[in-house]
Amino acid sequence: MSAPRFPVFCALILSHLAASWALAAEPGVREWRQANEHAILRQYFELLSLPNVARDDADVSANARWLEQAFSNRGFAVQMSADRAAPVVLATYSVPQPLGTLLFYIHYDGQPVTPSEWTWCPPFKPCLVGPDGVIDPATVTGAFDPEWRLYARSAADDKGPIAALLGAVDALQTLELPLLWNLKVVLDGQEEAGSANFRRFLAAQPDLFSADLALTLDGPQHPSRRPTLYFGVRGGASLTLTVHTAQGDLHSGNYGNWAPDPSFRLAQLLSSMKDQEGRVLIDGFYDDVTPLTALEQAALAAMPVVEDELMQEFGIARPEMPDIRLEEKLNLPTLNILAMDAAGGMQAPARTAIPASASARIAMRLVAGINPAKQQSLVIEHIRRQGYEVILNRAPSEEELRNHALLARVDVATGRAATRVPLELPEMAGVAAAATLDGQAPVLLPTLGGSLPFAEFSEGLGLPTVGLSLVNHDNNQHAPDENLRLANLWQGMEILAAILRMPKP
Amino acid sequence: MSAPRFPVFCALILSHLAASWALAAEPGVREWRQANEHAILRQYFELLSLPNVARDDADVSANARWLEQAFSNRGFAVQMSADRAAPVVLATYSVPQPLGTLLFYIHYDGQPVTPSEWTWCPPFKPCLVGPDGVIDPATVTGAFDPEWRLYARSAADDKGPIAALLGAVDALQTLELPLLWNLKVVLDGQEEAGSANFRRFLAAQPDLFSADLALTLDGPQHPSRRPTLYFGVRGGASLTLTVHTAQGDLHSGNYGNWAPDPSFRLAQLLSSMKDQEGRVLIDGFYDDVTPLTALEQAALAAMPVVEDELMQEFGIARPEMPDIRLEEKLNLPTLNILAMDAAGGMQAPARTAIPASASARIAMRLVAGINPAKQQSLVIEHIRRQGYEVILNRAPSEEELRNHALLARVDVATGRAATRVPLELPEMAGVAAAATLDGQAPVLLPTLGGSLPFAEFSEGLGLPTVGLSLVNHDNNQHAPDENLRLANLWQGMEILAAILRMPKP
């Protein structure tokens, strides 16, 4: 067994990499930004003021037109996919004697909003917030405090990287520091709704996306507040489980103790799936996980430990699987209940009846090695092994209700596989060096927690691909009060400016 | 041990009672009804057309005025409680040389409605439905088929007994068959909302309610379709249980496998409360149940067995606690989940986040012997024994979230005790005889499944009290498509007419 020697070897590689990342920051960019913070924010407020909820086609298209203008103004050639709504915006920039082509993937659509849940300002009326509340930028005379935050839907996910990229290009152009690489910026208007237009565009004209390195600019950075590179993303598979016990609701007085209670049935079934520590009990659930390589393990070991702070921040007394560190758990498949319901939930008018069914929306995040359909079938097999008759994607018949004391309906949605590429990309060194700010090396995360188009580049186009997370982890992504910490915007500009001028590997 | 002899003794009593119930039906009433079905239904349609959702004060008050008129027209003296809305209507009728006074309790308010869920007609536009659909009464020339049903909110619960009582009085008055008892008819406009006005009225002027026998006219008859007498009602106690795991929702990709999942926690907690067969596992849950007397057991044994038909009808493959018969289970406390919720339920917009909490509304129906507050405390104690920190009637603090891996909030509502009186009431024989139709004796149910004011008479006023269920069991009480089977209305008239002329015990 040579295993014990691997971590030592890997730690050496990592420290070697870290050594080569010195002196990455592009001189002048920081100073330019400090002199132009008002203008940068003014432009970003403009973009954030455009509602961009995925599937609100007219709104999303207005964002596309704004982006077309913004990139054209900076000398990019802009083309759009032929879609009527939420088109893919592809902005390309050519330089003389390029070192090659960098492809950036960013998305400009956002998650749904409930304005009443926002504390500081409505989701599409961005505002700047400091410790004493909302700040009018016009009243700020000196520098903006980098800990202040900008609140708006998509401030972080994922217009933040757009603002950072536009700022980086502005800085380099003003400073007359030439870009060394050709750029292709892919701006997806449907990432929060399945990216159908992007996939179609990519399949129809893959040549448009040729490049030497793809960078996906999405996802939160590590909670240690270091810039984060990731080498894969989780996939997903979900299913809806409904336990049926009767044809209709039954009066709880007349039939209590007689009518089977679907909520208890569902509770028993769910309890069989996960133990008290959060470990999934479904046979084979972890079997196909591609193990972490020694280098990936070393990268994990090198990360700052942040769990105590997170538990404090989120009000969590004990995480699931407390014997495994958070970043390692990102490389294990998950099983979570994102919604559960009997009788329409607690807000529905209260009825004194035993419901006829109870449901749970079960979501699995997948990791490299796991096939989504197979993972779904493991869950279904587990339900069967608990004695249930399982029917798929349809309501039970009266006959089935009468014949099966344990009857479950499962609705299955098509899943998406995870992907993970090796840490040892030659191109990674340049990116890691660019992401090294003030001597702090970036965190190397084998798998990002979220899901986004990554395999489309790494596998579909066969490009060297790496993900770069620029926004604060506590950005309230997908939730009310989404925000971007100003320091992250400023750092993002510096990192991207450095990438646009990084040497060839 | 003389126990084995008890059932024999009791069976003798029951058969003796049955023998004494012969020849109860009042001659002429059936024929009068057959000649006047159109008029009876026309009047009932009028009453059912008045919306009566409890808490819609103006609507409910319009019903009170209709009732005032209807009873005045028949020679009753009508008074109302002093309440601005939903008053108690008290209609009294005096006869020369009365045998005594009978007090009837009926309610005229109804459960909330969702008109879109009604199949045949809107809830307050009553219609008559036969096997081929809706029937216009004007087109009916012969007798109405007694299996046809009248659809409307409160058609059964609880305007059905009002229509039967008005019809019985009309029949006797037209046939010049004098009532032998003074009558007091208490019409409650808030039974579905807690009966506050009734309780206050009763407390303020208990003398108004003096009588020789109280009859509560509410609740469905036994599924065997026999008229049903009941000698008690279930009480109730409920609580809302919320498992808290974090301060806010957390992205399922970034924090899946780390953030505790409240739905699984709730599932595990609920699973600890009830076994697969529906038996409650909470310590002491059944301890205080007053056992059935030998006579009550004999009454149960004498009932027709209806469970196979019910299972067929309701689409149930296996009831809870299948080794105990339905009517016996009405004398055990229940534990049901009437609503359950995580992330707002399945109809709320889907979010890719692990919720911060999950909730269940737990309802208990109680039986004689059980104290509501004690039963609630047994549930809370059980939750504590599963390792939970329990906080009552308030949200957890950030500190509590950080300190307790297992944290549950319980909201407790004031409960109501059950009541049960002995079957051996002297007054019961006359009522049972009146309820014996065409040679079929009524079912004697120790405890009705539902809850209604019964103890107010039996315990509060110390009156001999018995419940009389007249409406079909499959009336969809509290649900859409509430209906009354015409045969039940006709039988109800005959039974009540006989009661109004029954002999003194």
Side-chain angles (χ1 to χ4, degrees), chain B residues 277-413:
Chain B
E277 292 285 36
R279 203 170 305 266
V280 177
L281 300 170
I282 294 167
D283 265 13
F285 196 79
Y286 300 110
D287 282 4
D288 295 343
V289 175
T290 302
L292 293 174
T293 64
L295 189 58
E296 288 166 337
Q297 285 177 25
L300 284 176
M303 286 177 207
V305 174
V306 292
E307 296 194 43
D308 284 350
E309 286 86 339
L310 288 180
M311 287 165 68
Q312 190 71 14
E313 183 182 338
F314 296 140
I316 288 178
R318 185 178 166 84
E320 287 193 337
M321 297 196 269
D323 50 326
I324 304 178
R325 68 175 289 174
L326 168 60
E327 298 85 350
E328 188 176 341
K329 285 186 281 208
L330 296 179
N331 301 288
L332 292 175
T334 69
L335 183 78
N336 279 114
I337 299 169
L338 302 192
M340 190 164 63
D341 187 324
M346 307 297 282
Q347 300 307 316
R351 295 202 285 196
T352 55
I354 300 166
S357 65
S359 301
R361 184 180 305 125
I362 298 178
M364 296 182 282
R365 295 277 181 167
L366 306 181
V367 296
I370 291 184
N371 174 291
K374 181 180 171 196
Q375 205 74 353
Q376 288 168 323
S377 75
L378 291 180
V379 179
I380 292 168
E381 259 323 296
H382 177 87
I383 297 170
R384 289 209 174 98
R385 265 200 306 279
Q386 310 311 304
Y388 275 81
E389 174 75 13
V390 175
I391 54 179
L392 291 174
N393 302 319
R394 64 170 177 84
S397 69
E398 296 187 15
E399 206 50 29
E400 286 167 325
L401 280 165
R402 288 189 199 112
N403 289 340
H404 301 287
L406 299 177
L407 184 63
R409 167 182 178 162
V410 175
D411 288 87
V412 180

Side-chain angles (χ1 to χ4, degrees), chain A residues 114-239:
Chain A
T114 306
S116 63
E117 296 176 348
W118 288 63
T119 308
W120 300 107
C121 44
F124 299 113
K125 292 199 187 302
C127 61
L128 192 64
V129 177
D132 300 325
V134 176
I135 296 155
D136 177 359
T139 65
V140 180
T141 47
F144 289 82
D145 185 327
E147 294 299 331
W148 291 351
R149 297 189 184 210
L150 218 167
Y151 281 79
R153 170 57 83 225
S154 292
D157 177 23
D158 191 29
K159 289 180 175 175
I162 297 176
L165 182 59
L166 292 175
V169 169
D170 287 345
L172 295 180
Q173 289 180 340
T174 323
L175 296 168
E176 296 184 0
L177 296 165
L179 279 63
L180 303 182
W181 298 76
N182 285 338
L183 302 187
K184 293 182 177 179
V185 184
V186 183
L187 297 145
D188 183 351
Q190 294 184 318
E191 198 271 340
E192 305 292 5
S195 297
N197 291 348
F198 166 62
R199 283 173 219 285
R200 205 164 35 235
F201 194 29
L202 180 65
Q205 303 186 62
D207 292 353
L208 281 181
F209 298 85
S210 64
D212 296 285
L213 176 66
L215 292 114
T216 60
L217 303 187
D218 193 7
Q221 64 177 201
H222 190 259
S224 59
R225 300 209 186 281
R226 296 203 200 171
T228 301
L229 300 181
Y230 54 90
F231 298 83
V233 295
R234 273 175 166 172
S238 64
L239 42 86

Side-chain angles (χ1 to χ4, degrees), chain A residues 62-102:
Chain A
N63 284 264
R65 288 192 299 275
W66 190 96
L67 292 169
E68 179 181 28
Q69 196 61 54
F71 280 92
S72 297
N73 290 347
R74 287 159 178 86
F76 285 66
V78 180
Q79 67 187 108
M80 304 247 196
S81 65
D83 305 291
R84 197 185 49 76
V88 180
V89 179
L90 177 60
T92 60
Y93 190 86
S94 300
V95 303
Q97 289 120 29
L99 297 179
T101 300
L102 303 177

